[in-house]
Amino acid sequence: MILDRFSLKGRAAIVTGAGRGIGQGLALGLAEAGADLFLVSKSDSVEATKALVEKLGRRVVTLQADLADMASVPRVVEGALAAYGKIDILVNNAGIQRRAPVIEFSEKDWDEVLQVDQKVPFFLAQAAARDMMKRKKGKIVNIASVICFSGGLRIPAYAAAKGGMRQYTMSMAVEWAAHGINVNAIAPGYIATDMNTALIEDKARFEDLSSRIPAGRWGSPDDLKGAAVYLASDASDYCHGTMLVVDGGWTSR
Ligand code: NAP
């Protein structure tokens, strides 16, 4: 039955950046659908999410790791394998933002954003896929952005990172579909999280952005749960390399 195909019961899922914001919402969504979780964040914020997941009756293991460091890649994957013996789902969600005009944008900010938002998620997917290939089954969900379709304003490194993520989502999908692995991305629109504090506090900019969202409101992490569960579940078995846009209609405008 179709609803059974959305169930994640017995699946082991890694969610990065699960301590706050969208990552916390996605972790809860996957847990509500039945998944056991391996949650990663830079700080101990992930412990708060752990407590919420435990209330849902799911198994949950946490890891504090700096995903700006490539050494975190084997720590994440080996940690999840030690906890569950397999990786069914990887949600590459952790991300950072740096805002500055293009003319002033620093090399340091460029490197930091590209590292966390583009390079490390690529190698996490590669490492997780090595386990998924053994079982000929796996789901990789990259959290990209509607900024894949535009340049944004004063966020050139983020635009480059997420645009690149969109491209390699398709590269991975093409190569790994034959191995039973689905690689897809979600493109959230404007979601009210800590990442957007600067935009939310800039009254004029907030009103300008809000007025251009057809749904008439910013999104919340809850709004992304359905897309994540779909792309993590058997319901999306024939879906490879897609960008599922969840943006209140922003990009259609
Ligand atoms: P957020 O509220 O700032 O949360 C970011 C999460 O990523 C936190 O849990 C943070 O860990 C973790 N993180 C950041 N740098 C890390 C690092 N070096 N190592 C490990 N963990 C790290 O951001 P968000 O808005 O939820 O964004 C989540 C994802 O959605 C990002 O990839 C973002 O680009 C994407 N996105 C967001 C929006 C939006 O409007 N908010 C729109 C499109 C796409 P700590 O809690 O430990 O600091």
Side-chain angles (χ1 to χ4, degrees):
M1 297 293 276
I2 184 59
L3 287 183
D4 297 334
R5 303 198 69 210
F6 285 86
S7 171
L8 300 180
K9 208 162 177 355
R11 305 284 162 87
I14 298 172
V15 181
T16 67
R20 303 180 275 134
I22 292 172
Q24 183 179 75
L26 300 183
L28 292 175
L30 298 187
E32 285 165 25
D36 296 319
L37 297 178
F38 188 84
L39 304 180
V40 185
S41 75
K42 188 174 175 178
S43 72
D44 64 1
S45 65
V46 79
E47 297 307 320
T49 309
K50 179 182 182 185
L52 295 171
V53 171
E54 281 171 341
K55 278 190 192 154
L56 295 167
R58 306 296 171 218
R59 293 167 67 194
V60 53
V61 175
T62 58
L63 175 72
Q64 265 181 254
D66 183 358
L67 296 174
D69 181 355
M70 278 293 287
S72 65
V73 172
R75 285 184 66 209
V76 172
V77 169
E78 286 163 20
L81 288 173
Y84 299 116
K86 61 174 184 170
I87 300 166
D88 295 305
I89 300 158
L90 167 67
V91 180
N92 260 324
N93 166 80
I96 56 171
Q97 180 62 284
R98 296 285 183 271
R99 298 177 194 278
V102 176
I103 199 74
E104 294 168 11
F105 209 84
S106 71
E107 184 179 354
K108 180 172 177 293
D109 281 351
W110 178 272
D111 287 344
E112 285 177 5
V113 171
L114 270 287
Q115 183 78 4
V116 177
D117 292 9
Q118 189 187 84
K119 180 176 172 180
V120 167
F122 175 91
F123 285 100
L124 270 176
Q126 184 191 66
R130 287 186 178 129
D131 173 67
M132 294 169 176
M133 278 177 189
K134 289 180 198 154
R135 286 171 295 101
K136 290 202 163 301
K137 190 167 176 65
K139 302 277 177 176
I140 295 173
V141 183
N142 293 322
I143 306 303
S145 170
V146 289
I147 296 301
C148 292
F149 309 116
S150 64
L153 189 62
R154 297 188 284 271
I155 52 169
Y158 186 83
K162 296 295 187 178
M165 174 181 260
R166 178 192 186 198
Q167 293 302 119
Y168 71 58
T169 294
M170 293 187 282
S171 304
M172 289 172 178
V174 168
E175 290 195 27
W176 297 346
H179 295 274
I181 301 171
N182 300 79
V183 190
N184 292 288
I186 296 174
Y190 285 86
I191 312 296
T193 65
D194 296 343
M195 180 174 278
N196 286 327
T197 301
L199 295 183
I200 292 165
E201 287 178 351
D202 179 340
K203 207 162 176 286
R205 183 111 168 85
F206 177 75
E207 277 171 16
D208 176 47
L209 289 169
S210 304
S211 70
R212 290 166 55 200
I213 300 171
R217 63 171 178 87
W218 281 47
S220 75
D222 257 14
D223 288 313
L224 297 159
K225 284 180 177 177
V229 169
Y230 168 62
L231 292 177
S233 72
D234 293 350
S236 61
D237 274 355
Y238 199 58
C239 195
H240 294 277
T242 196
M243 280 282 278
L244 185 40
V245 177
V246 185
D247 68 347
W250 171 271
T251 43
S252 296
R253 190 160 183 130

